[in-house]
Amino acid sequence: MDARVNLLNGLPVEAAKPRRPSRAEAEAAVRTLIAWAGDDPGREGLLETPGRVIRAYEEFFAGYEQDAGAVLSKTFKEVGGYDDIVLVRDIPFNSHCEHHMVPFVGKAHIAYLPHDGVVGLSKLARLVEVFARRLQTQENLTAQIVDAINEHLNPRGAAVMLEAEHMCMSMRGVRAHGASTVTHRFTGVFAEDRVEQDRFFAMTGTR
């Protein structure tokens, strides 16, 4: 938040969103990085690389243009009275670490206890994509997914677990190949009832 204060109501004023560079500026930045790495951005094999990188970035970071509320907007009320756990496990995802801008890759397990209907199962996978395709930390990604479920589905409880390997650990630094990072967050009934937590772990095969 910007330190300035709105004189009308005394509330902080949000900082202006940075200007988004043009495609030409972005490609120029890639050429600068290639040169900084020690190669020649003008040689044949690298001439088209800046354009390829920008097109790849449009895919990697498509989540900035997507809305979790839209993904979860349609629910189904006619579920025959079903009110037990809905779980989708082993949802593959890839994201990029906001500290080093290198990938982390893994799988997500998502569960919720319906309150007033259910959402299409594919929507939970799409929800993961919305937040994974941004610069992230695994901890924040976990929280964003469960918060979106709570906000838009209003379940009696939600549970999210992510397991991922981070290239910033396996490709550089300590080079801990194969190390897996696990994060989870429980809300509602899952946070309050250890039995429901144990059911979640058993159903995901993580305990």
Side-chain angles (χ1 to χ4, degrees):
M1 298 288 283
D2 196 310
R4 294 174 299 169
V5 172
N6 186 312
L7 297 179
L8 293 178
N9 56 25
L11 297 176
V13 176
E14 288 191 15
K17 187 176 181 179
R19 180 186 73 86
R20 186 171 188 173
S22 68
R23 180 177 292 268
E25 289 173 319
E27 291 186 9
V30 175
R31 284 190 286 272
T32 297
L33 287 174
I34 292 172
W36 183 88
D39 214 321
D40 175 11
R43 71 176 175 83
E44 182 181 17
L46 292 173
L47 274 176
E48 297 183 23
T49 294
R52 294 190 189 102
V53 170
I54 298 310
R55 290 193 294 276
Y57 266 41
E58 288 176 330
E59 293 184 42
F60 295 158
F61 304 115
Y64 288 113
E65 305 298 327
Q66 298 171 349
D67 176 48
V71 170
L72 300 178
S73 62
K74 183 176 181 179
T75 58
F76 302 94
K77 310 295 183 183
E78 296 181 5
V79 292
Y82 184 85
D83 62 357
D84 207 340
I85 293 176
V86 176
L87 167 70
V88 180
R89 67 184 185 184
D90 297 329
I91 301 170
F93 74 88
N94 57 78
S95 190
H96 281 74
C97 165
E98 67 182 37
H99 300 143
H100 300 95
M101 294 183 69
V102 294
F104 62 98
V105 179
K107 57 187 177 180
H109 313 292
I110 300 177
Y112 68 98
L113 287 160
H115 172 65
D116 186 26
V118 299
V119 71
L121 299 178
S122 67
K123 303 303 184 183
L124 296 179
R126 290 185 183 277
L127 177 65
V128 174
E129 288 284 287
V130 168
F131 295 116
R133 292 191 176 275
R134 304 179 184 187
L135 293 171
Q136 282 288 12
T137 66
Q138 184 173 329
E139 297 87 346
N140 194 47
L141 177 57
T142 306
Q144 288 177 335
I145 294 169
V146 77
D147 286 346
I149 292 171
N150 284 328
E151 178 181 354
H152 300 290
L153 299 184
N154 190 31
R156 289 178 289 122
V160 172
M161 174 184 285
L162 303 185
E163 304 174 78
E165 180 175 359
H166 291 247
M167 299 302 107
C168 59
M169 283 182 59
S170 61
M171 292 176 60
R172 57 165 298 281
V174 295
R175 294 188 172 88
H177 300 283
S180 180
T181 299
V182 178
T183 53
H184 59 71
R185 185 175 173 190
F186 302 123
T187 63
V189 174
F190 285 104
E192 299 162 0
D193 190 338
R194 183 60 181 269
V195 172
E196 293 299 332
Q197 292 181 26
D198 289 341
R199 289 182 66 204
F200 171 78
F201 287 128
M203 292 172 71
T204 57
T206 55
R207 178 174 295 178

